[in-house]
Amino acid sequence: MFYAILAYHEEEIVESWTREADAELMDELLQVNDRLVRAKRLGPAARLGSTKSAVTLRGEGAGMVIDGPFAETKEQLLGLYVVDCPSIEAAVETARELRRVNPTAVYEIRPISLYLPGATLSAPADDPA
């Protein structure tokens, strides 16, 4: 089963880190990533750009592009991991590994359906369909 691990953090805190502090954190996170790759459990992972450069598409028809994500939370979504775990408990443990490296981040874990060209689509485990 695939799970998304969404990494939230206060953007101002992340942007205040020195290049060295950020590089050190990323080195440690990449060590976790490498271990997950060796275990064939890590799918795509991404560090998102600043919300200051983000836009949102809303509305009917072609929609309207407006500035920002307008999150109603203190933290912003700054990155995500797609992991292949046998259970939600295993996905939570994977998120705990990431949190040990970056303890001030918040991680949301949710089942996902991964859409790949030519792949058979399957419903998430908790989907009764």
Side-chain angles (χ1 to χ4, degrees), residues 2 36-37 40-46 80-84 114:
F2 291 103
L36 292 170
V37 167
K40 298 184 186 270
R41 291 183 40 213
L42 182 65
L80 62 98
Y81 298 83
V82 175
V83 295
D84 188 1
L114 187 60

Side-chain angles (χ1 to χ4, degrees), residues 15 33 38 44 100 114:
E15 291 173 350
N33 290 7
R38 286 191 304 275
R100 280 192 271 287
L114 187 60

